[in-house]
Amino acid sequence: MKKLGIVSAMLLSATLTFGQALPEKLQGSFNGRVYFDGSAFFKDKTHLGSGATISDIRLGVSGKYEKFVGKIDIGFAKKTVSLKDVFIEYDFKKNSYVRLGHFAEPFGLDYMESSGNIRFINAGCVTEAFAPGRKLGLEYIGWSKNFWYAGGIFGDTHFDQKLDYKGNDGYAFTGRFVYNPFKKEGQILHVGVAATFRTPDANKDGSASRSITYGANVGSMVNSTKFVNAVVTDANNSVKVAGELIGALGHFSLQSEYFYAQVDRKDNLEKYKAWGAYGQVGFIAIGSGYEYATSWARLELPKPGTLEFAVRYSCLDLNNSDSAIYGGEQQQLTLGCNYYWKKFIRLRLNYNYVHLDKHALNGKEDFNFLSARVQVFFN
């Protein structure tokens, strides 16, 4: 709590000073958000606890000077201080830029997007298992009339989690390519592919054997237990590929991704293979049709006053008989209701049904739960 207070005070002081003494060509702004969450579990064999929490608190500043853009975004969730988006960017043109810092890799639609803009309270078990999220790296992004493309080099894991590790850091090459021939309101078609090649970080003790872990929870901010989890030992490197589809027709939208992961292992051990896929459909009951964000190659956030319903089915399989690694299989159905009340306030309600196989943490079981979230933004 002491660290949280110190960092908050420093950020607030810097923001006030920044806002009072901006050079003529320098533009700056302060931003923040807070998420209030609650979950209620039903028919859970493992007796998961229902409850409420503040799942996320963010404070940040951003600025722009000529062709340079900078951002610092700090999270304060669960009594810890963590770096989110921290980068400097140079805009070559209105449709291309290079970015250096800590930010989301171009792999996994919902992990590239802000958590406040996705269609459900969480990104889903498949995305959580395979998308790398934010890493320290250097990236180039560009787009044209019908194409979007990105590529970069990144660290393999979150740099602030391994400051005292021995041995060399891992690295990753990640890229994404999108073809989007239709981008009008209510008439959207987007097909994309993404891939990443990664070497794992050293273990904390510096031993030669390195491991890669794939896992996911059920999407409740109140309980973060990973019911499916595969630890792949003696890993040399891994390759992950993904295919993505986005479409919209009038007030209906579609989003789907398929992920495949393969780990090459030492000493001629069998390769580990895993996969996952999800599909979701959205319907705007009150409001205008879906729109497309060309610069990010994904759907725009609906306008204030919009009422939206959505359904998502996810299947994640971390079992691989060839390598004798059984991380479990998770299938999940999620029903969502979103009300974009004001520009800075969003209300979300999710129902989840979860099925786990015999290789999951506590064996085969089925349970369901309700989750609700109030999102408040300041910017």
Side-chain angles (χ1 to χ4, degrees):
M1 291 300 290
K2 184 178 180 180
K3 288 183 178 180
L4 186 152
I6 293 173
V7 175
S8 300
M10 290 175 63
L11 185 61
L12 180 59
S13 176
T15 304
L16 293 174
T17 303
F18 183 54
Q20 291 171 358
L22 287 178
E24 185 177 346
K25 293 184 179 181
L26 180 60
Q27 302 173 351
S29 63
F30 167 79
N31 60 81
R33 73 187 190 197
V34 58
Y35 293 171
F36 302 94
D37 283 81
S39 293
F41 287 89
F42 308 97
K43 296 181 179 179
D44 49 312
K45 183 176 74 174
T46 51
H47 303 292
L48 298 172
S50 303
T53 186
I54 297 178
S55 61
D56 197 9
I57 301 175
R58 301 275 186 90
L59 291 174
V61 293
S62 59
K64 182 176 183 180
Y65 180 77
E66 295 182 345
K67 292 188 176 183
F68 289 92
V69 175
K71 183 178 182 181
I72 300 176
D73 194 23
I74 300 176
F76 301 93
K78 299 179 181 179
K79 298 182 180 181
T80 62
V81 178
S82 60
L83 297 179
K84 302 301 181 182
D85 288 331
V86 181
F87 61 79
I88 185 169
E89 170 185 309
Y90 180 79
D91 298 338
F92 294 106
K93 300 178 181 179
K94 289 185 178 180
N95 63 339
S96 65
Y97 58 85
V98 64
R99 178 179 287 181
L100 173 66
H102 187 253
F103 48 85
E105 292 185 41
F107 191 96
L109 283 170
D110 282 353
Y111 266 28
M112 291 179 63
E113 180 64 276
S114 166
S115 62
N117 295 356
I118 62 178
R119 296 299 179 265
F120 299 89
I121 288 177
N122 73 305
C125 60
V126 178
T127 300
E128 183 186 353
F130 296 120
R134 290 182 177 89
K135 300 292 185 297
L136 189 65
L138 175 67
E139 174 187 49
Y140 173 81
I141 290 180
W143 61 94
S144 59
K145 182 179 179 181
N146 297 128
F147 299 97
W148 189 99
Y149 36 90
I153 181 170
F154 301 86
D156 181 55
T157 193
H158 304 283
F159 70 94
D160 57 349
Q161 295 179 355
K162 55 185 179 61
L163 296 178
D164 58 347
Y165 279 31
K166 300 176 182 178
N168 296 326
D169 291 348
Y171 60 87
F173 296 99
T174 305
R176 179 180 180 234
F177 180 81
V178 170
Y179 174 55
N180 42 27
F182 303 105
K183 296 182 286 187
K184 295 181 180 179
E185 179 182 329
Q187 299 179 28
I188 297 168
L189 178 62
H190 156 129
V191 180
V193 293
T196 179
F197 171 85
R198 319 181 75 83
T199 63
D201 281 317
N203 293 327
K204 193 167 186 177
D205 60 4
S207 61
S209 177
R210 302 189 179 197
S211 62
I212 296 175
T213 301
Y214 301 108
N217 59 37
V218 296
S220 167
M221 298 299 104
V222 174
N223 188 298
S224 59
T225 303
K226 290 190 175 183
F227 289 89
V228 293
N229 194 63
V231 180
V232 186
T233 58
D234 301 295
N236 273 326
N237 55 67
S238 68
V239 174
K240 293 187 287 187
V241 294
E244 58 189 55
L245 173 67
I246 295 176
L249 185 62
H251 287 212
F252 289 90
S253 72
L254 168 69
Q255 178 175 310
S256 180
E257 287 183 277
Y258 171 84
F259 296 88
Y260 172 80
Q262 179 175 293
V263 180
D264 181 53
R265 305 172 72 198
K266 296 180 179 180
D267 302 323
N268 295 318
L269 292 173
E270 287 289 341
K271 295 179 180 180
Y272 171 78
K273 301 174 183 179
W275 69 275
Y278 74 87
Q280 65 187 50
V281 177
F283 170 66
I284 293 180
I286 300 175
S288 56
Y290 287 96
E291 297 183 38
Y292 190 77
T294 301
S295 61
W296 285 105
R298 52 185 181 249
L299 292 178
E300 283 274 18
L301 180 73
K303 294 180 175 64
T306 298
L307 176 64
E308 177 187 42
F309 296 96
V311 57
R312 176 179 67 199
Y313 171 74
S314 306
C315 182
L316 172 63
D317 188 357
L318 301 182
N319 297 322
N320 182 238
S321 58
D322 292 340
S323 62
I325 297 175
Y326 297 92
E329 179 181 319
Q330 179 173 326
Q331 297 182 51
Q332 189 161 348
L333 177 67
T334 306
L335 307 179
C337 177
N338 306 310
Y339 181 50
Y340 304 87
W341 184 17
K342 302 290 183 181
K343 183 179 180 180
F344 304 124
I345 301 177
R346 299 162 203 165
L347 311 177
R348 302 188 186 276
L349 179 66
N350 286 181
Y351 164 80
N352 287 271
Y353 169 77
V354 181
H355 169 75
L356 301 167
D357 77 346
K358 64 181 181 180
H359 298 294
L361 179 65
N362 298 312
K364 185 176 181 180
E365 65 175 312
D366 301 87
F367 58 86
N368 53 81
F369 65 95
L370 285 172
S371 290
R373 169 176 289 176
V374 177
Q375 300 175 332
V376 181
F377 296 82
F378 308 95
N379 56 6

